[in-house]
Amino acid sequence: MDDLFTTAALAVLAVSFGVGIVVGLTGMGGGALMTPALIFLGIPPTAAVANDLVAAAANKTVGAAVHWKHGKPNLRLAGLLIAGSVPFAAAGGFLVQYLGGESTEEFLLHAIGVALLFAAASYALRMYLQLRAVTSGNEAPKDEVAVRVVPTLLVGAVGGLLVGITSVGSGSLIMVALLLLYPTLSALRLVGTDLLQAVPLVIAAAIGHVVVSGVDWGVLIPLILGGTPGTFLGARMAAWVSQSVIRRGIVIVLSLTGLKMLGLSPEAVGIIGAGMLLLGPLAWGFVRQTRGLPAFDNNAAAWRVPGRERGLGSSGDEKSRTDPVR
């Protein structure tokens, strides 16, 4: 019990609360932020992944329960993702031990770095897909989408393997893959389906890592105690904060963190970070202009919901906000 009141445990509590706020603000998976944060706090990569997966299993179960009642997830789609992901996720911890050998911690550190770069790229793609949906004026259809069995199973398998090894991917890569495969799936059903399939995925990955590495209660309990209220607060703040700015910031953070874990020097990381901070907004503004939108404006909506009016003012700003694709 004394382990819960150490300086290290309080640091984990504070960091998990902050990461929870970001998760609540953006709807992204916490593994891409929480696992690197734990490593930077001095926790070994194997322990960081194992404890983060167990905490994520608890948090995602709560979120999935809410969406089961209100989000109307696509059960067939979720079932296919689960069938593809669970076996690979369960094997993740054993694969890390086998592939890493005597250098397990170093192997996992590099694997997390690669996964973070993939997550950053997928998050940028997700922003663009949302932007394209805004400008195309798409409406969320009322009919069920046609489920593509083989591609969905493959998405589950790749996502399960990535989450099983690094804990990164359940809320970023899989979500983007679903957007690409099912562009007409409504935002609410998309999030509900992703959360529902993520529960057994994360539980399977957590079991594999716990069997291999065990858990550290001094890390796990602060993770849960800090992450849950942080996510709730972030969700309440989402309507007050510019989503566009936050999401661009997350892409930069994930990219720089991934490069640092791959062994890039601090000087090189600093130069790349400065370049992304200076040139990133200009590049995104150019992309927005190619879609007929103002260069610097917060585009939060992605779907025009039937029965609700949506118009553009003289500057192109949206008059009414609709359901966002987070």
Side-chain angles (χ1 to χ4, degrees):
M1 183 64 69
D2 293 338
D3 292 342
L4 300 179
F5 299 99
T6 64
T7 302
L10 293 177
V12 172
L13 181 70
V15 169
S16 65
F17 180 74
V19 171
I21 291 177
V22 176
V23 172
L25 281 171
T26 64
M28 75 172 295
L33 295 174
M34 195 66 248
T35 298
L38 291 176
I39 294 173
F40 288 148
L41 288 176
I43 297 171
T46 51
V49 171
N51 287 279
D52 182 49
L53 283 170
V54 175
N59 292 332
K60 286 182 181 293
T61 299
V62 175
V66 174
H67 277 273
W68 179 271
K69 182 176 181 180
H70 301 289
K72 297 181 180 179
N74 187 307
L75 298 183
R76 187 181 178 211
L77 179 55
L80 288 171
L81 289 170
I82 291 169
S85 65
V86 167
F88 290 92
F94 301 96
L95 286 173
V96 169
Q97 188 180 46
Y98 175 75
L99 296 174
E102 296 180 357
S103 305
T104 298
E105 301 293 350
E106 183 179 357
F107 166 79
L108 187 54
L109 191 67
H110 290 164
I112 293 172
V114 172
L116 290 176
L117 293 180
F118 273 116
S122 69
Y123 210 66
L125 177 60
R126 182 176 169 184
M127 291 170 59
Y128 175 74
L129 292 175
Q130 175 184 333
L131 179 66
R132 189 175 65 179
V134 172
T135 56
S136 62
N138 288 333
E139 291 188 358
K142 296 180 180 179
D143 298 332
E144 289 286 344
V145 297
V147 176
R148 303 167 64 183
V149 177
V150 174
T152 303
L153 286 171
L154 290 175
V155 167
V158 174
L161 182 62
L162 191 62
V163 173
I165 292 177
T166 66
S167 83
V168 178
S170 65
S172 52
L173 297 177
I174 292 179
M175 177 72 81
V176 172
L178 290 178
L179 281 170
L180 292 171
L181 285 175
Y182 305 103
T184 60
L185 192 65
S186 69
L188 191 60
R189 304 206 72 178
L190 183 70
V191 175
T193 302
D194 181 64
L195 274 175
L196 183 61
Q197 67 86 27
V199 173
L201 162 60
V202 174
I203 290 176
I207 291 173
H209 277 273
V210 168
V211 170
V212 174
S213 306
V215 294
D216 185 342
W217 295 106
V219 174
L220 178 59
I221 293 178
L223 272 180
I224 297 176
L225 292 180
T228 302
T231 302
F232 175 79
L233 178 61
R236 296 296 299 269
M237 295 168 56
W240 313 335
V241 183
S242 170
Q243 294 290 311
S244 181
V245 172
I246 292 175
R247 291 173 179 178
R248 291 199 303 271
I250 288 175
V251 171
I252 294 175
V253 169
L254 293 180
S255 300
L256 298 181
T257 304
L259 292 173
K260 180 66 173 66
M261 289 190 169
L262 288 174
L264 208 64
S265 67
E267 294 80 7
V269 172
I271 293 173
I272 294 173
M276 294 180 73
L277 284 173
L278 293 173
L279 301 178
L282 297 178
W284 182 244
F286 175 76
V287 171
R288 286 178 54 84
Q289 286 185 321
T290 62
R291 303 296 303 185
L293 291 174
F296 303 104
D297 182 35
N298 179 31
N299 59 297
W303 290 104
R304 209 163 32 90
V305 179
R308 296 172 65 177
E309 294 297 327
R310 174 182 177 275
L312 296 177
S314 58
S315 64
D317 297 337
E318 292 179 21
K319 292 183 179 178
S320 62
R321 300 167 77 99
T322 56
D323 296 334
V325 174
R326 296 189 183 282

